[in-house]
Amino acid sequence: MSAEQSPDGFLFDLYRRYIGEPEDRTDVYVGFGLFLGGIGLASIALLLFLWSSTFEARSAAHITWAEPAYGIVMIALPLLMLGIVVLLPSERRVLYTSIAGVAVTLVAVVGFLYAYPDDWNGYGADYTAQVVAIYAIGLAGLTASTGAALIAHYLDMAQRVQAVETDDGDEEDELTDADVRGDIDEAMEDVELSWGGVQKTEHKRLSFSEDELDEVSIDADAGTKTTRSTGVDAQVAGLKGLKGGETKTTTSQSTVDDQTAKLKELREQQRAEEMATADDDGSPLSGLLDRLRQLLGRE
């Protein structure tokens, strides 16, 4: 037994592949037995008919081989069709109709064996029409029951496929916003976001409910600082500064001539101070004046 073969056997594998899961082991064995038995009987009947054709028509040898060939093939077809009904998961009334049809065909076979060859096809009493009519009635009932079993099996398979597709659609519709949000949070759990190069910091936040602040009077204007926007360019510059890599540049509003004039004035002031310092150090009069200031200051 191969590794892929079911432990139940080849017949059960064949049944599951083409029909479905068997409801009863007996149905599988009986159904395949009737089906394969009908095929086997038809093959035997064909061989007997071919062998009888080698003899002279209606001779003793021809009748000896032809009579069982006709009888066997008349039984083979009903058995094959009954095997199909047994294999399919059909209703009991369909099965009973098939069995009744097979019974009617068996009556016709017995009538054929009785009438052939003396009362068959224009000879003797000629019971050909009666036998054929009985066989046709049984075969018609058997054909109707077999067709009903096949249609019922097809509808059952279609309903199963539709049920599977409906279940798949319901599972897709059950996806809610909470499920989507949970998937996003799970995917972003290990991701650290930063704004403009600012590192993520761990801190604690205080939260207050509206009920806790109902009885507390809070001055909204106390200790607040109002910041007014200076324009889009200033905001863009501030964002660039947060990102890092760009520094704030301060530009002078004065011209080159103003800066030159201030530099000359500063140099003249330094030169005047140096001359005054030189005069104070080299003149005796300046020393006398300093003494007088000191004396007057003491008085």
Side-chain angles (χ1 to χ4, degrees), residues 30-49:
V30 174
F32 276 113
L34 293 173
F35 182 82
L36 297 177
I39 295 176
L41 290 176
S43 301
I44 294 173
L46 179 61
L47 293 176
L48 292 175
F49 176 78

Side-chain angles (χ1 to χ4, degrees), residues 3-21:
E4 298 180 354
Q5 186 175 357
S6 172
D8 295 330
F10 174 74
L11 293 179
F12 284 88
D13 291 340
L14 195 64
Y15 189 94
R16 292 189 180 97
R17 182 180 302 175
Y18 294 102
I19 299 178
E21 190 66 25

Side-chain angles (χ1 to χ4, degrees), residues 129-193:
Q130 292 83 345
V131 172
V132 171
I134 295 173
Y135 187 82
I137 293 173
L139 193 62
L142 187 58
T143 303
S145 61
T146 305
L150 289 172
I151 294 174
H153 177 61
Y154 175 78
L155 294 176
D156 183 62
M157 292 181 61
Q159 291 176 357
R160 291 180 182 179
V161 173
Q162 185 177 2
V164 172
E165 292 178 353
T166 304
D167 293 340
D168 294 340
D170 294 340
E171 291 178 359
E172 293 178 358
D173 295 339
E174 289 177 358
L175 187 62
T176 60
D177 295 338
D179 297 333
V180 175
R181 191 179 298 107
D183 294 338
I184 295 174
D185 295 339
E186 183 179 356
M188 299 295 293
E189 184 177 2
D190 299 332
V191 178
E192 294 185 0
L193 299 177

Side-chain angles (χ1 to χ4, degrees), residues 189-205:
E189 184 177 2
D190 299 332
V191 178
E192 294 185 0
L193 299 177
S194 61
W195 173 259
V198 180
Q199 296 181 353
K200 180 181 178 181
T201 58
E202 298 292 339
H203 56 275
K204 297 182 178 178
R205 295 182 178 180

Side-chain angles (χ1 to χ4, degrees), residues 219-240:
D219 188 2
D221 297 332
T224 59
K225 180 179 180 181
T226 303
T227 303
R228 300 184 182 274
S229 175
T230 58
V232 177
D233 296 336
Q235 294 177 1
V236 173
L239 290 175
K240 290 182 178 179

